[in-house]
Amino acid sequence: MKNVTDMIFYFSGTGNSAWVARQLAEKQNEELFSIAMEIGKKKEYKLKEGENVGFVFPVHAWGPPKIVLRFIHQLRITKPAYLFFVCTCGDDTGRTAQIFSSAVTRKGWRCVAGYSVTMPNTYVSLPGFDVDDKDIETRKVQNAVARVRFINEEIASRVQMKQYNCHEGAIPFTKSYLLRPLFNALLMSPKPFHATEACIGCKKCEKVCPVNNITVTDRSVWGSNCTQCLACYHVCPVHAVEYGKMTGKKGQYKGRLLKDL
C-alpha cells in the first residue's frame, strides 16, 4: 500500500485533458497519475485523512471513456474526503457527470463536485465531425484558461455542489443513454484505422498511443485495444493515418496553443 498526497488521475489522448490535469495539479499541489499507465498495475493507494482525489478525462460519446470507468472499477484506494472530476469536451457533455457519479457511488464514494471545460474539437471519425476552425480553436483555448482558473478556485475552497457545473447540451439523456451505447457497440472498433502509402514509419503514432495499441514496421498496424482517442490520427506529421474513408480530407488538431501556455 502506497501512502500518497492529494492526487489526480487523468486520461488524455490528444493532450487537452492532460493540460487541464497539469494546471489543476500545479495549483492544488496534487500528484498526477496517468490512468493509461496505472490501469495495468495492482496498486493500493492510502490517502491521509482529509485528502482529495480528482479525475480528469475527455468526454467520449457523451460519457466518460470506457478505460476511465474500468479504472474506477478496479481502483483500490481509501475513501477520499473530497472527490471531484473535470471533463473536457468539444461541445457538450450529455450526462457524463451522472455516469461518472454512478461509477464512484458503486465504490462507496461520493462525488461532490464536477466541471466541464470546453476545448478544441478532436473527433473526426464520423460524417459531420471535424476539427474547429483556427479562430474557434483560439477562442476555446483562451476561454479554457479562465475556466480552469475558476475551477481551481472552487476546488481550493472545497465547494460541494447540489448540481454539477457541466454543459450538458441539448437532449442529454438521449445522447448519453441511447446514442452512447450504440456508439460503443458499433463504432469503437480499431479495424477501420490504417496507414496510407504516405506513411514514413516515424513511429509517432506508436509512441503517442496511450494504450500501446500500435506497432510500426513499414507502416502502422493497429491491435484490438483501442480507446478511439484519435491521438494517432492527430499526431501524424504527414496525415497518413486514416479511419476508413471518413478522415482523409479532415483537419488535424496539434494542440499548438496549449504548448505555448
Side-chain angles (χ1 to χ4, degrees):
M1 185 179 291
K2 183 180 180 181
N3 287 296
V4 295
T5 57
D6 296 352
M7 67 185 76
I8 291 176
F9 295 104
Y10 76 95
F11 175 73
S12 186
T14 56
N16 285 342
S17 294
W19 176 80
V20 171
R22 288 194 296 270
Q23 306 310 304
L24 297 175
E26 181 178 350
K27 184 68 175 180
Q28 306 298 329
N29 194 29
E30 295 180 334
E31 190 172 358
L32 274 180
F33 293 88
S34 165
I35 288 175
M37 295 180 65
E38 296 293 312
I39 195 169
K41 302 175 182 178
K42 296 182 179 180
K43 283 185 180 180
E44 185 174 358
Y45 303 89
K46 183 178 180 180
L47 292 167
K48 296 177 182 178
E49 185 176 352
E51 290 185 327
N52 300 351
V53 170
F55 292 83
V56 181
F57 52 87
V59 173
H60 284 185
W62 303 289
K66 294 173 71 175
I67 188 174
V68 173
L69 296 177
R70 288 200 307 271
F71 179 74
I72 292 170
H73 176 73
Q74 74 170 44
L75 181 60
R76 295 186 298 165
I77 192 171
T78 49
K79 189 174 183 178
Y82 184 83
L83 190 152
F84 67 92
F85 76 87
V86 179
C87 60
T88 62
C89 61
D91 293 299
D92 51 44
T93 67
R95 293 291 173 84
T96 294
Q98 289 77 6
I99 295 170
F100 175 86
S101 181
S102 295
V104 299
T105 297
R106 287 192 290 271
K107 299 285 290 188
W109 311 329
R110 187 170 73 92
C111 180
V112 298
Y115 306 85
S116 65
V117 179
T118 302
M119 299 289 283
N121 272 306
T122 62
Y123 187 74
V124 296
S125 298
L126 284 177
F129 291 83
D130 204 344
V131 297
D132 294 316
D133 293 337
K134 291 301 179 184
D135 58 338
I136 296 176
E137 180 181 320
T138 300
R139 174 173 54 80
K140 283 185 174 182
V141 171
Q142 292 173 343
N143 290 344
V145 172
R147 175 68 170 169
V148 172
R149 187 182 303 120
F150 162 75
I151 293 170
N152 261 321
E153 293 172 356
E154 293 267 293
I155 293 171
S157 301
R158 289 202 167 189
V159 169
Q160 299 200 24
M161 298 177 166
K162 294 182 179 179
Q163 185 173 347
Y164 297 122
N165 190 335
C166 295
H167 179 59
E168 290 190 346
I171 57 171
F173 182 93
T174 299
K175 288 176 177 176
S176 293
Y177 295 115
L178 298 180
L179 296 181
R180 179 172 175 266
L182 291 174
F183 180 94
N184 287 334
L186 302 175
L187 299 172
M188 284 295 290
S189 173
K191 290 182 179 180
F193 278 113
H194 63 280
T196 68
E197 293 181 355
C199 178
I200 57 176
C202 67
K203 296 192 175 184
K204 287 187 175 182
C205 59
E206 180 180 300
K207 294 174 183 177
V208 79
C209 179
V211 292
N212 300 313
N213 189 52
I214 302 171
T215 55
V216 180
T217 50
D218 293 333
R219 291 191 194 178
S220 307
V221 177
W222 282 258
S224 59
N225 181 29
C226 181
T227 67
Q228 283 285 336
C229 70
L230 296 176
C232 56
Y233 168 83
H234 291 289
V235 79
C236 182
V238 292
H239 209 313
V241 174
E242 293 189 9
Y243 191 75
K245 298 180 179 179
M246 299 289 184
T247 58
K249 297 182 179 180
K250 293 185 177 181
Q252 291 173 289
Y253 173 64
K254 302 295 186 180
R256 296 186 185 92
L257 294 174
L258 294 179
K259 294 174 184 176
D260 293 337
L261 294 175

